[in-house]
Amino acid sequence: MLLGAAALGSGAAAIDGLCVTPRRLLTTTHVVGSGSAERRLRIVQVSDLHVHRIGTLERQLLERLHELRADVIVVTGDSIDRSHRLPVLDTLLAEFPRGPRTLAIMGNWEYRSGVTADAMARLYGRHGIELLVN
């Protein structure tokens, strides 16, 4: 009985991890401090894109980025997981908002894919995004 429940739970987690979560845009809001509205800084973090193509999720992300009107956007790694997907990331970044300062870092998946920091810096730089390394 316990073994069956464990197998069922593992199966549900696998389905969520492979089929549900990667197709869901998750947004959360956190307010730090109690400063006035004039002093607030809106930071938007984008993480774990693992871009394969420009589909519904990516279009939702772009729409949300434009709606949020951030002061700063930070792209915190794992934007791609295969080096041949750099052109898709290039296309996505071309649609990012142009107003806010945008910073990025590489995640473990970029390193695993064999993409160099120089290649990522050039790609991000074409879109006005600064890649921070180390």
Side-chain angles (χ1 to χ4, degrees), residues 40-80:
R40 289 196 179 147
L41 178 67
R42 184 173 294 220
I43 301 171
V44 174
Q45 177 189 8
V46 177
S47 185
D48 294 287
L49 295 172
H50 296 275
V51 175
H52 295 184
R53 63 186 172 82
I54 306 300
T56 302
L57 182 63
E58 291 76 17
R59 285 189 284 280
Q60 288 174 354
L61 169 69
L62 291 169
E63 182 178 306
R64 191 77 174 120
L65 283 174
H66 286 278
E67 287 172 358
L68 289 170
R69 297 186 4 233
D71 299 301
V72 177
I73 297 174
V74 292
V75 181
T76 55
D78 295 348
S79 296
I80 59 166

PDB file of all heavy atoms in Angstrom, residues 40-80:
ATOM      1  N   ARG A  40       9.212  53.873  -4.409  1.00  0.00           N
ATOM      2  CA  ARG A  40       9.184  52.438  -4.695  1.00  0.00           C
ATOM      3  C   ARG A  40       9.983  52.118  -5.948  1.00  0.00           C
ATOM      4  O   ARG A  40       9.989  52.863  -6.916  1.00  0.00           O
ATOM      5  CB  ARG A  40       7.758  51.953  -4.865  1.00  0.00           C
ATOM      6  CG  ARG A  40       7.036  51.942  -3.544  1.00  0.00           C
ATOM      7  CD  ARG A  40       5.787  51.130  -3.609  1.00  0.00           C
ATOM      8  NE  ARG A  40       5.166  51.154  -2.298  1.00  0.00           N
ATOM      9  CZ  ARG A  40       3.877  51.120  -2.091  1.00  0.00           C
ATOM     10  NH1 ARG A  40       3.053  51.030  -3.093  1.00  0.00           N
ATOM     11  NH2 ARG A  40       3.404  51.147  -0.873  1.00  0.00           N
ATOM     12  N   LEU A  41      10.633  50.988  -5.904  1.00  0.00           N
ATOM     13  CA  LEU A  41      11.407  50.478  -7.029  1.00  0.00           C
ATOM     14  C   LEU A  41      10.786  49.156  -7.448  1.00  0.00           C
ATOM     15  O   LEU A  41      10.694  48.234  -6.639  1.00  0.00           O
ATOM     16  CB  LEU A  41      12.878  50.275  -6.620  1.00  0.00           C
ATOM     17  CG  LEU A  41      13.805  49.697  -7.673  1.00  0.00           C
ATOM     18  CD1 LEU A  41      13.991  50.693  -8.821  1.00  0.00           C
ATOM     19  CD2 LEU A  41      15.157  49.373  -7.043  1.00  0.00           C
ATOM     20  N   ARG A  42      10.348  49.075  -8.671  1.00  0.00           N
ATOM     21  CA  ARG A  42       9.699  47.859  -9.157  1.00  0.00           C
ATOM     22  C   ARG A  42      10.742  47.022  -9.897  1.00  0.00           C
ATOM     23  O   ARG A  42      11.238  47.415 -10.939  1.00  0.00           O
ATOM     24  CB  ARG A  42       8.548  48.190 -10.077  1.00  0.00           C
ATOM     25  CG  ARG A  42       7.770  46.962 -10.524  1.00  0.00           C
ATOM     26  CD  ARG A  42       6.566  47.360 -11.292  1.00  0.00           C
ATOM     27  NE  ARG A  42       5.679  48.046 -10.363  1.00  0.00           N
ATOM     28  CZ  ARG A  42       4.369  47.898 -10.331  1.00  0.00           C
ATOM     29  NH1 ARG A  42       3.781  47.111 -11.185  1.00  0.00           N
ATOM     30  NH2 ARG A  42       3.633  48.553  -9.472  1.00  0.00           N
ATOM     31  N   ILE A  43      11.051  45.862  -9.317  1.00  0.00           N
ATOM     32  CA  ILE A  43      12.021  44.930  -9.894  1.00  0.00           C
ATOM     33  C   ILE A  43      11.264  43.694 -10.355  1.00  0.00           C
ATOM     34  O   ILE A  43      10.501  43.109  -9.597  1.00  0.00           O
ATOM     35  CB  ILE A  43      13.090  44.522  -8.856  1.00  0.00           C
ATOM     36  CG1 ILE A  43      13.830  45.763  -8.350  1.00  0.00           C
ATOM     37  CG2 ILE A  43      14.072  43.524  -9.474  1.00  0.00           C
ATOM     38  CD1 ILE A  43      14.740  45.484  -7.169  1.00  0.00           C
ATOM     39  N   VAL A  44      11.488  43.310 -11.587  1.00  0.00           N
ATOM     40  CA  VAL A  44      10.850  42.111 -12.130  1.00  0.00           C
ATOM     41  C   VAL A  44      11.951  41.087 -12.411  1.00  0.00           C
ATOM     42  O   VAL A  44      12.926  41.391 -13.087  1.00  0.00           O
ATOM     43  CB  VAL A  44      10.065  42.421 -13.417  1.00  0.00           C
ATOM     44  CG1 VAL A  44       9.535  41.143 -14.053  1.00  0.00           C
ATOM     45  CG2 VAL A  44       8.923  43.378 -13.118  1.00  0.00           C
ATOM     46  N   GLN A  45      11.777  39.903 -11.868  1.00  0.00           N
ATOM     47  CA  GLN A  45      12.730  38.813 -12.065  1.00  0.00           C
ATOM     48  C   GLN A  45      12.139  37.804 -13.039  1.00  0.00           C
ATOM     49  O   GLN A  45      10.998  37.369 -12.887  1.00  0.00           O
ATOM     50  CB  GLN A  45      13.046  38.114 -10.747  1.00  0.00           C
ATOM     51  CG  GLN A  45      13.968  36.926 -10.932  1.00  0.00           C
ATOM     52  CD  GLN A  45      14.108  36.092  -9.682  1.00  0.00           C
ATOM     53  OE1 GLN A  45      13.402  36.299  -8.691  1.00  0.00           O
ATOM     54  NE2 GLN A  45      15.007  35.138  -9.725  1.00  0.00           N
ATOM     55  N   VAL A  46      12.939  37.436 -14.024  1.00  0.00           N
ATOM     56  CA  VAL A  46      12.553  36.418 -15.003  1.00  0.00           C
ATOM     57  C   VAL A  46      13.568  35.297 -14.871  1.00  0.00           C
ATOM     58  O   VAL A  46      14.768  35.528 -14.951  1.00  0.00           O
ATOM     59  CB  VAL A  46      12.582  37.001 -16.435  1.00  0.00           C
ATOM     60  CG1 VAL A  46      12.247  35.936 -17.460  1.00  0.00           C
ATOM     61  CG2 VAL A  46      11.653  38.189 -16.549  1.00  0.00           C
ATOM     62  N   SER A  47      13.088  34.089 -14.664  1.00  0.00           N
ATOM     63  CA  SER A  47      14.008  32.984 -14.406  1.00  0.00           C
ATOM     64  C   SER A  47      13.509  31.696 -15.033  1.00  0.00           C
ATOM     65  O   SER A  47      12.313  31.505 -15.214  1.00  0.00           O
ATOM     66  CB  SER A  47      14.162  32.793 -12.892  1.00  0.00           C
ATOM     67  OG  SER A  47      15.135  31.821 -12.611  1.00  0.00           O
ATOM     68  N   ASP A  48      14.451  30.827 -15.350  1.00  0.00           N
ATOM     69  CA  ASP A  48      14.146  29.468 -15.811  1.00  0.00           C
ATOM     70  C   ASP A  48      13.233  29.435 -17.029  1.00  0.00           C
ATOM     71  O   ASP A  48      12.269  28.674 -17.074  1.00  0.00           O
ATOM     72  CB  ASP A  48      13.549  28.638 -14.672  1.00  0.00           C
ATOM     73  CG  ASP A  48      14.563  28.400 -13.571  1.00  0.00           C
ATOM     74  OD1 ASP A  48      15.482  27.588 -13.800  1.00  0.00           O
ATOM     75  OD2 ASP A  48      14.453  29.039 -12.512  1.00  0.00           O
ATOM     76  N   LEU A  49      13.561  30.239 -18.026  1.00  0.00           N
ATOM     77  CA  LEU A  49      12.758  30.254 -19.245  1.00  0.00           C
ATOM     78  C   LEU A  49      12.889  28.966 -20.051  1.00  0.00           C
ATOM     79  O   LEU A  49      11.919  28.495 -20.631  1.00  0.00           O
ATOM     80  CB  LEU A  49      13.169  31.438 -20.130  1.00  0.00           C
ATOM     81  CG  LEU A  49      12.896  32.819 -19.559  1.00  0.00           C
ATOM     82  CD1 LEU A  49      13.525  33.886 -20.436  1.00  0.00           C
ATOM     83  CD2 LEU A  49      11.413  33.039 -19.402  1.00  0.00           C
ATOM     84  N   HIS A  50      14.088  28.427 -20.133  1.00  0.00           N
ATOM     85  CA  HIS A  50      14.345  27.226 -20.940  1.00  0.00           C
ATOM     86  C   HIS A  50      13.640  27.352 -22.291  1.00  0.00           C
ATOM     87  O   HIS A  50      12.875  26.480 -22.708  1.00  0.00           O
ATOM     88  CB  HIS A  50      13.901  25.956 -20.214  1.00  0.00           C
ATOM     89  CG  HIS A  50      14.673  25.689 -18.964  1.00  0.00           C
ATOM     90  ND1 HIS A  50      15.884  25.021 -18.984  1.00  0.00           N
ATOM     91  CD2 HIS A  50      14.426  26.002 -17.668  1.00  0.00           C
ATOM     92  CE1 HIS A  50      16.343  24.933 -17.741  1.00  0.00           C
ATOM     93  NE2 HIS A  50      15.478  25.521 -16.927  1.00  0.00           N
ATOM     94  N   VAL A  51      13.897  28.459 -22.985  1.00  0.00           N
ATOM     95  CA  VAL A  51      13.207  28.782 -24.227  1.00  0.00           C
ATOM     96  C   VAL A  51      13.489  27.730 -25.295  1.00  0.00           C
ATOM     97  O   VAL A  51      14.641  27.424 -25.585  1.00  0.00           O
ATOM     98  CB  VAL A  51      13.632  30.178 -24.740  1.00  0.00           C
ATOM     99  CG1 VAL A  51      13.012  30.467 -26.086  1.00  0.00           C
ATOM    100  CG2 VAL A  51      13.257  31.247 -23.748  1.00  0.00           C
ATOM    101  N   HIS A  52      12.404  27.200 -25.860  1.00  0.00           N
ATOM    102  CA  HIS A  52      12.498  26.264 -26.982  1.00  0.00           C
ATOM    103  C   HIS A  52      11.931  26.898 -28.238  1.00  0.00           C
ATOM    104  O   HIS A  52      12.390  26.641 -29.336  1.00  0.00           O
ATOM    105  CB  HIS A  52      11.730  24.984 -26.700  1.00  0.00           C
ATOM    106  CG  HIS A  52      12.308  24.197 -25.572  1.00  0.00           C
ATOM    107  ND1 HIS A  52      11.815  22.965 -25.217  1.00  0.00           N
ATOM    108  CD2 HIS A  52      13.335  24.431 -24.719  1.00  0.00           C
ATOM    109  CE1 HIS A  52      12.512  22.484 -24.196  1.00  0.00           C
ATOM    110  NE2 HIS A  52      13.423  23.363 -23.880  1.00  0.00           N
ATOM    111  N   ARG A  53      10.878  27.693 -28.047  1.00  0.00           N
ATOM    112  CA  ARG A  53      10.187  28.342 -29.153  1.00  0.00           C
ATOM    113  C   ARG A  53       9.413  29.525 -28.571  1.00  0.00           C
ATOM    114  O   ARG A  53       9.297  29.658 -27.361  1.00  0.00           O
ATOM    115  CB  ARG A  53       9.235  27.368 -29.847  1.00  0.00           C
ATOM    116  CG  ARG A  53       8.124  26.879 -28.947  1.00  0.00           C
ATOM    117  CD  ARG A  53       7.273  25.797 -29.617  1.00  0.00           C
ATOM    118  NE  ARG A  53       6.341  25.219 -28.681  1.00  0.00           N
ATOM    119  CZ  ARG A  53       5.170  25.744 -28.357  1.00  0.00           C
ATOM    120  NH1 ARG A  53       4.769  26.866 -28.902  1.00  0.00           N
ATOM    121  NH2 ARG A  53       4.384  25.155 -27.482  1.00  0.00           N
ATOM    122  N   ILE A  54       8.893  30.363 -29.448  1.00  0.00           N
ATOM    123  CA  ILE A  54       8.034  31.449 -28.998  1.00  0.00           C
ATOM    124  C   ILE A  54       6.598  30.942 -29.111  1.00  0.00           C
ATOM    125  O   ILE A  54       6.028  30.902 -30.197  1.00  0.00           O
ATOM    126  CB  ILE A  54       8.239  32.734 -29.840  1.00  0.00           C
ATOM    127  CG1 ILE A  54       9.707  33.142 -29.858  1.00  0.00           C
ATOM    128  CG2 ILE A  54       7.349  33.861 -29.296  1.00  0.00           C
ATOM    129  CD1 ILE A  54      10.314  33.450 -28.517  1.00  0.00           C
ATOM    130  N   GLY A  55       6.060  30.530 -27.979  1.00  0.00           N
ATOM    131  CA  GLY A  55       4.704  29.988 -27.933  1.00  0.00           C
ATOM    132  C   GLY A  55       3.826  30.829 -27.023  1.00  0.00           C
ATOM    133  O   GLY A  55       4.150  31.975 -26.689  1.00  0.00           O
ATOM    134  N   THR A  56       2.748  30.238 -26.590  1.00  0.00           N
ATOM    135  CA  THR A  56       1.770  30.936 -25.742  1.00  0.00           C
ATOM    136  C   THR A  56       2.398  31.445 -24.456  1.00  0.00           C
ATOM    137  O   THR A  56       2.179  32.595 -24.058  1.00  0.00           O
ATOM    138  CB  THR A  56       0.595  29.990 -25.420  1.00  0.00           C
ATOM    139  OG1 THR A  56       0.011  29.556 -26.643  1.00  0.00           O
ATOM    140  CG2 THR A  56      -0.445  30.691 -24.569  1.00  0.00           C
ATOM    141  N   LEU A  57       3.179  30.610 -23.782  1.00  0.00           N
ATOM    142  CA  LEU A  57       3.791  31.010 -22.517  1.00  0.00           C
ATOM    143  C   LEU A  57       4.729  32.195 -22.710  1.00  0.00           C
ATOM    144  O   LEU A  57       4.706  33.152 -21.929  1.00  0.00           O
ATOM    145  CB  LEU A  57       4.551  29.835 -21.897  1.00  0.00           C
ATOM    146  CG  LEU A  57       5.204  30.100 -20.550  1.00  0.00           C
ATOM    147  CD1 LEU A  57       4.155  30.433 -19.492  1.00  0.00           C
ATOM    148  CD2 LEU A  57       6.030  28.904 -20.121  1.00  0.00           C
ATOM    149  N   GLU A  58       5.526  32.163 -23.764  1.00  0.00           N
ATOM    150  CA  GLU A  58       6.471  33.255 -24.014  1.00  0.00           C
ATOM    151  C   GLU A  58       5.730  34.545 -24.367  1.00  0.00           C
ATOM    152  O   GLU A  58       6.122  35.628 -23.929  1.00  0.00           O
ATOM    153  CB  GLU A  58       7.441  32.856 -25.139  1.00  0.00           C
ATOM    154  CG  GLU A  58       8.406  31.756 -24.746  1.00  0.00           C
ATOM    155  CD  GLU A  58       7.789  30.362 -24.700  1.00  0.00           C
ATOM    156  OE1 GLU A  58       6.689  30.152 -25.282  1.00  0.00           O
ATOM    157  OE2 GLU A  58       8.396  29.479 -24.060  1.00  0.00           O
ATOM    158  N   ARG A  59       4.644  34.438 -25.115  1.00  0.00           N
ATOM    159  CA  ARG A  59       3.845  35.632 -25.422  1.00  0.00           C
ATOM    160  C   ARG A  59       3.188  36.185 -24.145  1.00  0.00           C
ATOM    161  O   ARG A  59       3.099  37.394 -23.958  1.00  0.00           O
ATOM    162  CB  ARG A  59       2.805  35.314 -26.500  1.00  0.00           C
ATOM    163  CG  ARG A  59       3.451  35.210 -27.893  1.00  0.00           C
ATOM    164  CD  ARG A  59       2.407  35.125 -28.996  1.00  0.00           C
ATOM    165  NE  ARG A  59       1.773  33.812 -29.088  1.00  0.00           N
ATOM    166  CZ  ARG A  59       2.295  32.756 -29.683  1.00  0.00           C
ATOM    167  NH1 ARG A  59       3.465  32.843 -30.244  1.00  0.00           N
ATOM    168  NH2 ARG A  59       1.648  31.611 -29.733  1.00  0.00           N
ATOM    169  N   GLN A  60       2.732  35.295 -23.255  1.00  0.00           N
ATOM    170  CA  GLN A  60       2.172  35.742 -21.980  1.00  0.00           C
ATOM    171  C   GLN A  60       3.240  36.467 -21.157  1.00  0.00           C
ATOM    172  O   GLN A  60       2.960  37.487 -20.532  1.00  0.00           O
ATOM    173  CB  GLN A  60       1.631  34.562 -21.182  1.00  0.00           C
ATOM    174  CG  GLN A  60       0.370  33.969 -21.724  1.00  0.00           C
ATOM    175  CD  GLN A  60      -0.028  32.694 -20.969  1.00  0.00           C
ATOM    176  OE1 GLN A  60       0.696  32.194 -20.119  1.00  0.00           O
ATOM    177  NE2 GLN A  60      -1.196  32.161 -21.307  1.00  0.00           N
ATOM    178  N   LEU A  61       4.449  35.920 -21.155  1.00  0.00           N
ATOM    179  CA  LEU A  61       5.549  36.553 -20.436  1.00  0.00           C
ATOM    180  C   LEU A  61       5.801  37.955 -20.971  1.00  0.00           C
ATOM    181  O   LEU A  61       5.908  38.910 -20.196  1.00  0.00           O
ATOM    182  CB  LEU A  61       6.826  35.714 -20.556  1.00  0.00           C
ATOM    183  CG  LEU A  61       8.104  36.409 -20.074  1.00  0.00           C
ATOM    184  CD1 LEU A  61       8.091  36.605 -18.565  1.00  0.00           C
ATOM    185  CD2 LEU A  61       9.330  35.641 -20.520  1.00  0.00           C
ATOM    186  N   LEU A  62       5.898  38.100 -22.273  1.00  0.00           N
ATOM    187  CA  LEU A  62       6.159  39.420 -22.863  1.00  0.00           C
ATOM    188  C   LEU A  62       5.046  40.409 -22.529  1.00  0.00           C
ATOM    189  O   LEU A  62       5.311  41.561 -22.173  1.00  0.00           O
ATOM    190  CB  LEU A  62       6.333  39.288 -24.377  1.00  0.00           C
ATOM    191  CG  LEU A  62       7.592  38.569 -24.822  1.00  0.00           C
ATOM    192  CD1 LEU A  62       7.534  38.255 -26.318  1.00  0.00           C
ATOM    193  CD2 LEU A  62       8.836  39.365 -24.466  1.00  0.00           C
ATOM    194  N   GLU A  63       3.817  39.945 -22.612  1.00  0.00           N
ATOM    195  CA  GLU A  63       2.680  40.807 -22.270  1.00  0.00           C
ATOM    196  C   GLU A  63       2.776  41.270 -20.812  1.00  0.00           C
ATOM    197  O   GLU A  63       2.599  42.439 -20.499  1.00  0.00           O
ATOM    198  CB  GLU A  63       1.380  40.048 -22.515  1.00  0.00           C
ATOM    199  CG  GLU A  63       0.130  40.856 -22.250  1.00  0.00           C
ATOM    200  CD  GLU A  63      -1.122  40.043 -22.562  1.00  0.00           C
ATOM    201  OE1 GLU A  63      -1.242  39.513 -23.675  1.00  0.00           O
ATOM    202  OE2 GLU A  63      -1.980  39.950 -21.648  1.00  0.00           O
ATOM    203  N   ARG A  64       3.077  40.341 -19.937  1.00  0.00           N
ATOM    204  CA  ARG A  64       3.178  40.654 -18.505  1.00  0.00           C
ATOM    205  C   ARG A  64       4.330  41.613 -18.241  1.00  0.00           C
ATOM    206  O   ARG A  64       4.205  42.542 -17.440  1.00  0.00           O
ATOM    207  CB  ARG A  64       3.358  39.355 -17.713  1.00  0.00           C
ATOM    208  CG  ARG A  64       3.218  39.530 -16.242  1.00  0.00           C
ATOM    209  CD  ARG A  64       1.741  39.650 -15.865  1.00  0.00           C
ATOM    210  NE  ARG A  64       1.660  39.684 -14.427  1.00  0.00           N
ATOM    211  CZ  ARG A  64       1.150  40.688 -13.745  1.00  0.00           C
ATOM    212  NH1 ARG A  64       0.623  41.714 -14.364  1.00  0.00           N
ATOM    213  NH2 ARG A  64       1.127  40.669 -12.433  1.00  0.00           N
ATOM    214  N   LEU A  65       5.480  41.398 -18.900  1.00  0.00           N
ATOM    215  CA  LEU A  65       6.622  42.297 -18.720  1.00  0.00           C
ATOM    216  C   LEU A  65       6.265  43.728 -19.099  1.00  0.00           C
ATOM    217  O   LEU A  65       6.650  44.677 -18.412  1.00  0.00           O
ATOM    218  CB  LEU A  65       7.818  41.836 -19.559  1.00  0.00           C
ATOM    219  CG  LEU A  65       8.611  40.661 -19.027  1.00  0.00           C
ATOM    220  CD1 LEU A  65       9.671  40.241 -20.042  1.00  0.00           C
ATOM    221  CD2 LEU A  65       9.258  40.994 -17.686  1.00  0.00           C
ATOM    222  N   HIS A  66       5.525  43.886 -20.182  1.00  0.00           N
ATOM    223  CA  HIS A  66       5.125  45.231 -20.604  1.00  0.00           C
ATOM    224  C   HIS A  66       4.088  45.822 -19.646  1.00  0.00           C
ATOM    225  O   HIS A  66       4.123  47.024 -19.366  1.00  0.00           O
ATOM    226  CB  HIS A  66       4.608  45.201 -22.042  1.00  0.00           C
ATOM    227  CG  HIS A  66       5.704  45.049 -23.048  1.00  0.00           C
ATOM    228  ND1 HIS A  66       6.460  46.101 -23.499  1.00  0.00           N
ATOM    229  CD2 HIS A  66       6.195  43.947 -23.663  1.00  0.00           C
ATOM    230  CE1 HIS A  66       7.365  45.672 -24.366  1.00  0.00           C
ATOM    231  NE2 HIS A  66       7.221  44.360 -24.480  1.00  0.00           N
ATOM    232  N   GLU A  67       3.194  45.007 -19.121  1.00  0.00           N
ATOM    233  CA  GLU A  67       2.175  45.485 -18.175  1.00  0.00           C
ATOM    234  C   GLU A  67       2.789  45.964 -16.867  1.00  0.00           C
ATOM    235  O   GLU A  67       2.313  46.927 -16.268  1.00  0.00           O
ATOM    236  CB  GLU A  67       1.179  44.363 -17.844  1.00  0.00           C
ATOM    237  CG  GLU A  67       0.216  44.020 -18.933  1.00  0.00           C
ATOM    238  CD  GLU A  67      -0.606  42.770 -18.585  1.00  0.00           C
ATOM    239  OE1 GLU A  67      -0.391  42.167 -17.507  1.00  0.00           O
ATOM    240  OE2 GLU A  67      -1.451  42.396 -19.414  1.00  0.00           O
ATOM    241  N   LEU A  68       3.815  45.266 -16.395  1.00  0.00           N
ATOM    242  CA  LEU A  68       4.376  45.548 -15.068  1.00  0.00           C
ATOM    243  C   LEU A  68       5.153  46.859 -14.997  1.00  0.00           C
ATOM    244  O   LEU A  68       5.341  47.406 -13.923  1.00  0.00           O
ATOM    245  CB  LEU A  68       5.275  44.386 -14.621  1.00  0.00           C
ATOM    246  CG  LEU A  68       4.522  43.117 -14.268  1.00  0.00           C
ATOM    247  CD1 LEU A  68       5.494  41.959 -14.070  1.00  0.00           C
ATOM    248  CD2 LEU A  68       3.679  43.322 -13.021  1.00  0.00           C
ATOM    249  N   ARG A  69       5.611  47.364 -16.111  1.00  0.00           N
ATOM    250  CA  ARG A  69       6.341  48.641 -16.157  1.00  0.00           C
ATOM    251  C   ARG A  69       7.422  48.700 -15.081  1.00  0.00           C
ATOM    252  O   ARG A  69       7.422  49.570 -14.210  1.00  0.00           O
ATOM    253  CB  ARG A  69       5.364  49.795 -16.064  1.00  0.00           C
ATOM    254  CG  ARG A  69       4.426  49.794 -17.256  1.00  0.00           C
ATOM    255  CD  ARG A  69       3.473  50.952 -17.403  1.00  0.00           C
ATOM    256  NE  ARG A  69       3.585  52.014 -16.447  1.00  0.00           N
ATOM    257  CZ  ARG A  69       2.577  52.479 -15.717  1.00  0.00           C
ATOM    258  NH1 ARG A  69       1.403  51.927 -15.829  1.00  0.00           N
ATOM    259  NH2 ARG A  69       2.749  53.473 -14.895  1.00  0.00           N
ATOM    260  N   ALA A  70       8.344  47.765 -15.168  1.00  0.00           N
ATOM    261  CA  ALA A  70       9.422  47.640 -14.184  1.00  0.00           C
ATOM    262  C   ALA A  70      10.423  48.776 -14.296  1.00  0.00           C
ATOM    263  O   ALA A  70      10.587  49.383 -15.352  1.00  0.00           O
ATOM    264  CB  ALA A  70      10.155  46.315 -14.398  1.00  0.00           C
ATOM    265  N   ASP A  71      11.092  49.042 -13.187  1.00  0.00           N
ATOM    266  CA  ASP A  71      12.245  49.939 -13.181  1.00  0.00           C
ATOM    267  C   ASP A  71      13.507  49.160 -13.545  1.00  0.00           C
ATOM    268  O   ASP A  71      14.422  49.695 -14.160  1.00  0.00           O
ATOM    269  CB  ASP A  71      12.421  50.577 -11.796  1.00  0.00           C
ATOM    270  CG  ASP A  71      11.214  51.405 -11.410  1.00  0.00           C
ATOM    271  OD1 ASP A  71      10.891  52.357 -12.152  1.00  0.00           O
ATOM    272  OD2 ASP A  71      10.587  51.089 -10.382  1.00  0.00           O
ATOM    273  N   VAL A  72      13.543  47.895 -13.125  1.00  0.00           N
ATOM    274  CA  VAL A  72      14.667  47.005 -13.384  1.00  0.00           C
ATOM    275  C   VAL A  72      14.111  45.616 -13.692  1.00  0.00           C
ATOM    276  O   VAL A  72      13.193  45.155 -13.019  1.00  0.00           O
ATOM    277  CB  VAL A  72      15.614  46.911 -12.156  1.00  0.00           C
ATOM    278  CG1 VAL A  72      16.749  45.928 -12.416  1.00  0.00           C
ATOM    279  CG2 VAL A  72      16.160  48.274 -11.767  1.00  0.00           C
ATOM    280  N   ILE A  73      14.686  44.971 -14.701  1.00  0.00           N
ATOM    281  CA  ILE A  73      14.375  43.575 -14.988  1.00  0.00           C
ATOM    282  C   ILE A  73      15.651  42.783 -14.777  1.00  0.00           C
ATOM    283  O   ILE A  73      16.719  43.185 -15.248  1.00  0.00           O
ATOM    284  CB  ILE A  73      13.870  43.372 -16.430  1.00  0.00           C
ATOM    285  CG1 ILE A  73      12.562  44.128 -16.652  1.00  0.00           C
ATOM    286  CG2 ILE A  73      13.693  41.880 -16.746  1.00  0.00           C
ATOM    287  CD1 ILE A  73      12.063  44.109 -18.088  1.00  0.00           C
ATOM    288  N   VAL A  74      15.550  41.681 -14.063  1.00  0.00           N
ATOM    289  CA  VAL A  74      16.700  40.800 -13.881  1.00  0.00           C
ATOM    290  C   VAL A  74      16.347  39.421 -14.437  1.00  0.00           C
ATOM    291  O   VAL A  74      15.314  38.855 -14.106  1.00  0.00           O
ATOM    292  CB  VAL A  74      17.161  40.713 -12.403  1.00  0.00           C
ATOM    293  CG1 VAL A  74      17.745  42.033 -11.947  1.00  0.00           C
ATOM    294  CG2 VAL A  74      16.031  40.311 -11.478  1.00  0.00           C
ATOM    295  N   VAL A  75      17.205  38.932 -15.312  1.00  0.00           N
ATOM    296  CA  VAL A  75      17.028  37.611 -15.921  1.00  0.00           C
ATOM    297  C   VAL A  75      18.035  36.711 -15.214  1.00  0.00           C
ATOM    298  O   VAL A  75      19.237  36.846 -15.406  1.00  0.00           O
ATOM    299  CB  VAL A  75      17.283  37.657 -17.440  1.00  0.00           C
ATOM    300  CG1 VAL A  75      17.072  36.285 -18.062  1.00  0.00           C
ATOM    301  CG2 VAL A  75      16.389  38.704 -18.102  1.00  0.00           C
ATOM    302  N   THR A  76      17.525  35.811 -14.382  1.00  0.00           N
ATOM    303  CA  THR A  76      18.402  35.092 -13.455  1.00  0.00           C
ATOM    304  C   THR A  76      18.692  33.649 -13.873  1.00  0.00           C
ATOM    305  O   THR A  76      18.621  32.731 -13.067  1.00  0.00           O
ATOM    306  CB  THR A  76      17.827  35.145 -12.025  1.00  0.00           C
ATOM    307  OG1 THR A  76      16.490  34.641 -12.037  1.00  0.00           O
ATOM    308  CG2 THR A  76      17.836  36.556 -11.492  1.00  0.00           C
ATOM    309  N   GLY A  77      19.052  33.482 -15.112  1.00  0.00           N
ATOM    310  CA  GLY A  77      19.613  32.219 -15.557  1.00  0.00           C
ATOM    311  C   GLY A  77      18.630  31.200 -16.085  1.00  0.00           C
ATOM    312  O   GLY A  77      17.421  31.315 -15.942  1.00  0.00           O
ATOM    313  N   ASP A  78      19.222  30.205 -16.752  1.00  0.00           N
ATOM    314  CA  ASP A  78      18.492  29.110 -17.375  1.00  0.00           C
ATOM    315  C   ASP A  78      17.510  29.610 -18.435  1.00  0.00           C
ATOM    316  O   ASP A  78      16.411  29.100 -18.584  1.00  0.00           O
ATOM    317  CB  ASP A  78      17.788  28.228 -16.345  1.00  0.00           C
ATOM    318  CG  ASP A  78      18.771  27.502 -15.435  1.00  0.00           C
ATOM    319  OD1 ASP A  78      19.981  27.498 -15.754  1.00  0.00           O
ATOM    320  OD2 ASP A  78      18.333  26.930 -14.434  1.00  0.00           O
ATOM    321  N   SER A  79      17.943  30.602 -19.191  1.00  0.00           N
ATOM    322  CA  SER A  79      17.121  31.113 -20.289  1.00  0.00           C
ATOM    323  C   SER A  79      17.058  30.116 -21.429  1.00  0.00           C
ATOM    324  O   SER A  79      16.054  30.029 -22.129  1.00  0.00           O
ATOM    325  CB  SER A  79      17.682  32.443 -20.794  1.00  0.00           C
ATOM    326  OG  SER A  79      17.604  33.408 -19.771  1.00  0.00           O
ATOM    327  N   ILE A  80      18.152  29.392 -21.640  1.00  0.00           N
ATOM    328  CA  ILE A  80      18.186  28.327 -22.647  1.00  0.00           C
ATOM    329  C   ILE A  80      18.787  27.089 -21.998  1.00  0.00           C
ATOM    330  O   ILE A  80      19.447  27.169 -20.963  1.00  0.00           O
ATOM    331  CB  ILE A  80      19.014  28.710 -23.888  1.00  0.00           C
ATOM    332  CG1 ILE A  80      20.456  29.037 -23.498  1.00  0.00           C
ATOM    333  CG2 ILE A  80      18.371  29.852 -24.657  1.00  0.00           C
ATOM    334  CD1 ILE A  80      21.423  29.103 -24.648  1.00  0.00           C
TER     335      ILE A  80
END
